[in-house]
PDB file of all heavy atoms in Angstrom:
ATOM      1  N   TRP N  96     -20.274  15.487  -3.868  1.00 98.00           N
ATOM      2  CA  TRP N  96     -21.394  15.674  -2.950  1.00 98.00           C
ATOM      3  C   TRP N  96     -21.858  17.122  -2.988  1.00 98.00           C
ATOM      4  O   TRP N  96     -21.027  18.052  -3.040  1.00 98.00           O
ATOM      5  CB  TRP N  96     -20.958  15.296  -1.535  1.00 98.00           C
ATOM      6  CG  TRP N  96     -22.026  15.418  -0.478  1.00 98.00           C
ATOM      7  CD1 TRP N  96     -23.347  15.120  -0.603  1.00 98.00           C
ATOM      8  CD2 TRP N  96     -21.845  15.853   0.872  1.00 98.00           C
ATOM      9  NE1 TRP N  96     -24.015  15.327   0.583  1.00 98.00           N
ATOM     10  CE2 TRP N  96     -23.117  15.779   1.503  1.00 98.00           C
ATOM     11  CE3 TRP N  96     -20.745  16.286   1.603  1.00 98.00           C
ATOM     12  CZ2 TRP N  96     -23.310  16.140   2.840  1.00 98.00           C
ATOM     13  CZ3 TRP N  96     -20.933  16.636   2.934  1.00 98.00           C
ATOM     14  CH2 TRP N  96     -22.207  16.563   3.547  1.00 98.00           C
ATOM     15  N   SER N  97     -23.152  17.322  -3.022  1.00 98.00           N
ATOM     16  CA  SER N  97     -23.776  18.610  -2.767  1.00 98.00           C
ATOM     17  C   SER N  97     -23.256  19.686  -3.724  1.00 98.00           C
ATOM     18  O   SER N  97     -23.382  19.568  -4.937  1.00 98.00           O
ATOM     19  CB  SER N  97     -23.528  18.986  -1.302  1.00 98.00           C
ATOM     20  OG  SER N  97     -24.318  20.073  -0.904  1.00 98.00           O
ATOM     21  N   GLY N 100     -21.221  18.916  -6.865  1.00 98.00           N
ATOM     22  CA  GLY N 100     -21.848  18.256  -8.004  1.00 98.00           C
ATOM     23  C   GLY N 100     -21.684  18.995  -9.323  1.00 98.00           C
ATOM     24  O   GLY N 100     -21.299  18.394 -10.331  1.00 98.00           O
ATOM     25  N   TYR N 104     -20.029  17.461 -12.739  1.00 98.00           N
ATOM     26  CA  TYR N 104     -20.728  17.328 -14.016  1.00 98.00           C
ATOM     27  C   TYR N 104     -19.951  18.017 -15.142  1.00 98.00           C
ATOM     28  O   TYR N 104     -19.795  17.468 -16.236  1.00 98.00           O
ATOM     29  CB  TYR N 104     -22.131  17.941 -13.912  1.00 98.00           C
ATOM     30  CG  TYR N 104     -23.109  17.173 -13.063  1.00 98.00           C
ATOM     31  CD1 TYR N 104     -23.887  17.816 -12.101  1.00 98.00           C
ATOM     32  CD2 TYR N 104     -23.282  15.793 -13.227  1.00 98.00           C
ATOM     33  CE1 TYR N 104     -24.807  17.122 -11.327  1.00 98.00           C
ATOM     34  CE2 TYR N 104     -24.199  15.089 -12.449  1.00 98.00           C
ATOM     35  CZ  TYR N 104     -24.955  15.760 -11.499  1.00 98.00           C
ATOM     36  OH  TYR N 104     -25.869  15.064 -10.736  1.00 98.00           O
ATOM     37  N   VAL N 119     -22.674  11.025  -7.864  1.00 99.00           N
ATOM     38  CA  VAL N 119     -23.014  12.320  -7.278  1.00 99.00           C
ATOM     39  C   VAL N 119     -24.068  12.085  -6.200  1.00 99.00           C
ATOM     40  O   VAL N 119     -25.156  11.574  -6.477  1.00 99.00           O
ATOM     41  CB  VAL N 119     -23.537  13.304  -8.334  1.00 99.00           C
ATOM     42  CG1 VAL N 119     -23.890  14.630  -7.678  1.00 99.00           C
ATOM     43  CG2 VAL N 119     -22.497  13.521  -9.433  1.00 99.00           C
ATOM     44  N   ALA N 120     -23.731  12.455  -4.971  1.00 99.00           N
ATOM     45  CA  ALA N 120     -24.631  12.285  -3.830  1.00 99.00           C
ATOM     46  C   ALA N 120     -25.240  13.634  -3.470  1.00 99.00           C
ATOM     47  O   ALA N 120     -24.514  14.596  -3.194  1.00 99.00           O
ATOM     48  CB  ALA N 120     -23.877  11.713  -2.638  1.00 99.00           C
ATOM     49  N   ALA N 121     -26.569  13.709  -3.502  1.00 98.00           N
ATOM     50  CA  ALA N 121     -27.282  14.938  -3.122  1.00 98.00           C
ATOM     51  C   ALA N 121     -26.686  16.147  -3.812  1.00 98.00           C
ATOM     52  O   ALA N 121     -26.460  17.192  -3.191  1.00 98.00           O
ATOM     53  CB  ALA N 121     -27.268  15.119  -1.603  1.00 98.00           C
ATOM     54  N   GLY N 122     -26.402  16.020  -5.107  1.00 98.00           N
ATOM     55  CA  GLY N 122     -25.692  17.059  -5.830  1.00 98.00           C
ATOM     56  C   GLY N 122     -26.606  18.071  -6.491  1.00 98.00           C
ATOM     57  O   GLY N 122     -27.676  17.742  -6.996  1.00 98.00           O
ATOM     58  N   LEU N 123     -26.154  19.313  -6.507  1.00 98.00           N
ATOM     59  CA  LEU N 123     -26.859  20.358  -7.227  1.00 98.00           C
ATOM     60  C   LEU N 123     -26.761  20.112  -8.725  1.00 98.00           C
ATOM     61  O   LEU N 123     -25.710  19.733  -9.234  1.00 98.00           O
ATOM     62  CB  LEU N 123     -26.246  21.723  -6.916  1.00 98.00           C
ATOM     63  CG  LEU N 123     -26.431  22.261  -5.486  1.00 98.00           C
ATOM     64  CD1 LEU N 123     -25.512  23.445  -5.262  1.00 98.00           C
ATOM     65  CD2 LEU N 123     -27.883  22.650  -5.251  1.00 98.00           C
ATOM     66  N   SER N 124     -27.856  20.359  -9.426  1.00 98.00           N
ATOM     67  CA  SER N 124     -27.829  20.306 -10.885  1.00 98.00           C
ATOM     68  C   SER N 124     -28.420  21.572 -11.495  1.00 98.00           C
ATOM     69  O   SER N 124     -28.549  21.688 -12.708  1.00 98.00           O
ATOM     70  CB  SER N 124     -28.606  19.088 -11.402  1.00 98.00           C
ATOM     71  OG  SER N 124     -29.979  19.193 -11.079  1.00 98.00           O
ATOM     72  N   VAL N 235     -27.317   9.497  -5.947  1.00 99.00           N
ATOM     73  CA  VAL N 235     -27.856   9.068  -4.653  1.00 99.00           C
ATOM     74  C   VAL N 235     -28.474  10.275  -3.972  1.00 99.00           C
ATOM     75  O   VAL N 235     -27.816  11.326  -3.863  1.00 99.00           O
ATOM     76  CB  VAL N 235     -26.754   8.460  -3.761  1.00 99.00           C
ATOM     77  CG1 VAL N 235     -27.343   8.017  -2.421  1.00 99.00           C
ATOM     78  CG2 VAL N 235     -26.050   7.311  -4.460  1.00 99.00           C
ATOM     79  N   HIS N 236     -29.722  10.133  -3.507  1.00 99.00           N
ATOM     80  CA  HIS N 236     -30.365  11.276  -2.861  1.00 99.00           C
ATOM     81  C   HIS N 236     -31.389  10.787  -1.841  1.00 99.00           C
ATOM     82  O   HIS N 236     -32.129   9.846  -2.093  1.00 99.00           O
ATOM     83  CB  HIS N 236     -31.083  12.142  -3.903  1.00 99.00           C
ATOM     84  CG  HIS N 236     -31.005  13.599  -3.604  1.00 99.00           C
ATOM     85  ND1 HIS N 236     -30.512  14.540  -4.490  1.00 99.00           N
ATOM     86  CD2 HIS N 236     -31.354  14.308  -2.483  1.00 99.00           C
ATOM     87  CE1 HIS N 236     -30.564  15.739  -3.950  1.00 99.00           C
ATOM     88  NE2 HIS N 236     -31.078  15.625  -2.731  1.00 99.00           N
ATOM     89  N   VAL N 243     -30.337  20.247  -0.356  1.00 97.00           N
ATOM     90  CA  VAL N 243     -30.405  20.179  -1.815  1.00 97.00           C
ATOM     91  C   VAL N 243     -31.638  19.350  -2.141  1.00 97.00           C
ATOM     92  O   VAL N 243     -31.689  18.160  -1.834  1.00 97.00           O
ATOM     93  CB  VAL N 243     -29.148  19.531  -2.426  1.00 97.00           C
ATOM     94  CG1 VAL N 243     -29.341  19.320  -3.928  1.00 97.00           C
ATOM     95  CG2 VAL N 243     -27.912  20.397  -2.172  1.00 97.00           C
ATOM     96  N   HIS N 247     -33.100  18.068  -7.763  1.00 98.00           N
ATOM     97  CA  HIS N 247     -31.813  18.249  -8.448  1.00 98.00           C
ATOM     98  C   HIS N 247     -31.315  16.928  -9.016  1.00 98.00           C
ATOM     99  O   HIS N 247     -30.841  16.874 -10.163  1.00 98.00           O
ATOM    100  CB  HIS N 247     -30.785  18.849  -7.489  1.00 98.00           C
ATOM    101  CG  HIS N 247     -30.956  20.312  -7.254  1.00 98.00           C
ATOM    102  ND1 HIS N 247     -30.376  21.270  -8.047  1.00 98.00           N
ATOM    103  CD2 HIS N 247     -31.671  20.981  -6.315  1.00 98.00           C
ATOM    104  CE1 HIS N 247     -30.711  22.476  -7.611  1.00 98.00           C
ATOM    105  NE2 HIS N 247     -31.493  22.328  -6.554  1.00 98.00           N
ATOM    106  N   SER N 248     -31.411  15.860  -8.237  1.00 98.00           N
ATOM    107  CA  SER N 248     -30.987  14.557  -8.748  1.00 98.00           C
ATOM    108  C   SER N 248     -31.984  14.021  -9.762  1.00 98.00           C
ATOM    109  O   SER N 248     -31.602  13.335 -10.717  1.00 98.00           O
ATOM    110  CB  SER N 248     -30.800  13.554  -7.601  1.00 98.00           C
ATOM    111  OG  SER N 248     -29.624  13.846  -6.881  1.00 98.00           O
TER     112      SER N 248
END
Side-chain angles (χ1 to χ4, degrees):
W96 181 38
S97 192
Y104 289 132
V119 179
L123 292 167
S124 65
V235 180
H236 216 125
V243 173
H247 283 272
S248 286

